[in-house]
Amino acid sequence: MDRRSFFKKAAVTGAGAAAATTLAAPAIAQENPKITWRLTSSFPKSLDTIYGGAEDIAARVSEATGGNFTIQTFAAGEIVPGLQAADAVSAGTVEMCHTCSYYYVGKDPTFAIGTAIPFGLNARLTNSWFYQGNGNTLLNEFYATHNLYGMIAGNTGAQMGGWFRKEINTVEDFKGVKMRIAGLAGKVVEKLGVVPQQIAGGDIYASLEKGTIDAAEWVGPYDDQKLGFYKVAKYYYYPAFWEGGPVIHAFANLEKFNSLPKSYQAALIDACAYANTNMMAKYDMKNPGAVKQLVADGTILRPFSQEILEACFNAAQEVYAEISGSNEWFKRIYEDQVAFKREGYLWMQLSE
């Protein structure tokens, strides 16, 4: 082959390859589009553990997609108030939020099961029910009726029973106590005379300080110390029988989630699973030192009495029976969780 013929053929081949590359580019772009979502959190940035879950999700999604799928995180109040996060996602104001399902029991008490219910599951059984049992499937059938797709994206582990301005020794001592308490736990303690209040985390300290409320539960030693509750209420009770393994959910707008490429959906689900595990690990590392410091600063630790626990257990069964009698979604999901717990607890009694 002479030199002129060789270069002529090479030029044709090169042009063909370039054309093929040009034609292929749109297909690749469709598979890995540039997408930016906004995520609104129900928590302030000062709570690095629980707000940090949203940052974990955003970082992992970006890394898994080469920066093509970006999630911008916003603290409570920057876009919408903390307790309206899921509402904003459902309405399409933002694509995603990081919140607790039980903040929305006013819409439907079934939302409570998504986070935790009194005398429910611990953190390990919670993960098992969601990942290996029917938890994710059943709740996402329910969430879909609110245009939401839920992914568990955090767990605090067993929480504390809360901060009280006075000692609570008997069931009688609960009467008239105005308490910040979330989810169905408010319905339970209401049967004992408590006046439940739904207040966002960032507003609890001011409410305690002003005497608007007499008691408050939040999470546990690390977060409670950061929010300074020990300065305005000295009695710290345990355990939070209403939250043995509470979930923090990432909710995506259902239509927006379904429109994502499958690879982006997988990246998001995996990022939420990482945030779920990492949050629990953070709390288990940080709570021990925090509870010691709280005691050193004058906090008085107290267990709820057996009388109180039994009264609350009985009240909880009444609440579940009442709701199940009129709410088919709640009844179906609650009964599935109870059956799962019965089997799981049999093993936990031996192993733990």
Side-chain angles (χ1 to χ4, degrees):
M1 182 184 294
D2 64 35
R3 189 164 173 269
R4 183 178 297 173
S5 174
F6 172 80
F7 281 115
K8 184 177 180 181
K9 289 182 178 180
V12 171
T13 303
T21 303
T22 303
L23 289 171
I28 294 171
Q30 285 177 345
E31 291 174 7
N32 301 288
K34 291 280 187 182
I35 294 176
T36 299
W37 275 16
R38 294 191 302 167
L39 179 156
T40 183
S41 173
S42 283
F43 315 108
K45 289 181 179 178
S46 59
L47 297 179
D48 56 314
T49 42
I50 200 163
Y51 178 80
E55 295 178 317
D56 281 346
I57 294 167
R60 289 280 163 152
V61 164
S62 179
E63 290 168 9
T65 62
N68 286 324
F69 185 9
T70 302
I71 298 174
Q72 300 171 337
T73 60
F74 297 87
E78 290 184 340
I79 297 178
V80 295
L83 299 183
Q84 296 175 22
D87 298 330
V89 176
S90 180
T93 305
V94 294
E95 293 81 9
M96 192 173 174
C97 70
H98 192 231
T99 187
C100 290
S101 181
Y102 67 8
Y103 290 160
Y104 309 97
V105 292
K107 294 180 178 296
D108 190 310
T110 309
F111 274 103
I113 306 176
T115 303
I117 58 174
F119 303 99
L121 307 177
N122 67 7
R124 278 182 56 183
L125 286 178
T126 294
N127 281 340
S128 186
W129 182 61
F130 271 99
Y131 289 137
Q132 298 298 321
N134 298 322
N136 265 328
T137 300
L138 290 174
L139 277 161
N140 269 320
E141 288 176 7
F142 166 71
Y143 292 143
T145 65
H146 295 267
N147 198 28
L148 299 171
Y149 181 78
M151 297 156 282
I152 63 174
N155 199 304
T156 69
Q159 296 191 356
M160 291 290 284
W163 299 86
F164 291 77
R165 298 167 73 93
K166 66 173 187 177
E167 286 190 79
I168 303 294
N169 297 314
T170 67
V171 173
E172 191 68 22
D173 293 335
F174 269 131
K175 289 186 177 178
V177 171
K178 297 187 295 294
M179 183 177 185
R180 183 276 175 193
I181 187 166
L184 287 185
K187 292 286 187 185
V188 171
V189 295
E190 190 174 30
K191 286 183 174 290
L192 276 60
V194 170
V195 182
Q197 310 283 319
Q198 183 91 305
I199 300 172
D203 299 325
I204 296 173
Y205 181 93
S207 297
L208 275 171
E209 186 179 36
K210 294 173 184 175
T212 308
I213 56 176
D214 309 304
E217 60 82 28
W218 176 238
V219 176
Y222 182 72
D223 282 356
D224 292 1
Q225 182 188 36
K226 272 184 166 289
L227 292 176
F229 299 149
Y230 64 97
K231 299 174 184 176
V232 286
K234 67 178 181 178
Y235 294 101
Y236 200 21
Y237 278 83
Y238 64 90
F241 52 83
W242 50 84
E243 295 187 68
V247 168
I248 293 85
H249 260 90
F251 285 124
N253 177 279
L254 182 60
E255 294 171 9
K256 291 287 187 180
F257 180 81
N258 288 336
S259 71
L260 288 175
K262 294 296 182 185
S263 60
Y264 285 15
Q265 290 179 358
L268 180 56
I269 290 169
D270 287 349
C272 290
Y274 171 78
N276 183 48
T277 304
N278 197 38
M279 187 182 294
M280 184 78 259
K282 286 180 182 178
Y283 277 115
D284 280 343
M285 182 186 75
K286 295 179 176 183
N287 278 333
V291 76
K292 287 194 288 186
Q293 187 58 53
L294 285 169
V295 171
D297 289 336
T299 297
I300 301 172
L301 285 177
R302 289 280 189 273
F304 284 126
S305 69
Q306 189 68 22
E307 175 204 0
I308 288 171
L309 292 175
E310 288 179 5
C312 289
F313 179 83
N314 292 332
Q317 306 317 302
E318 290 178 19
V319 168
Y320 302 146
E322 290 165 4
I323 298 172
S324 294
S326 60
N327 188 314
E328 192 56 39
W329 273 118
F330 182 91
K331 182 176 186 294
R332 180 183 171 205
I333 300 174
Y334 170 71
E335 288 181 352
D336 185 87
Q337 189 186 86
V338 169
F340 187 90
K341 180 178 70 172
R342 189 178 298 118
E343 291 297 309
Y345 187 62
L346 179 67
W347 167 236
M348 288 280 172
Q349 285 179 295
L350 298 176
S351 64
E352 297 297 318

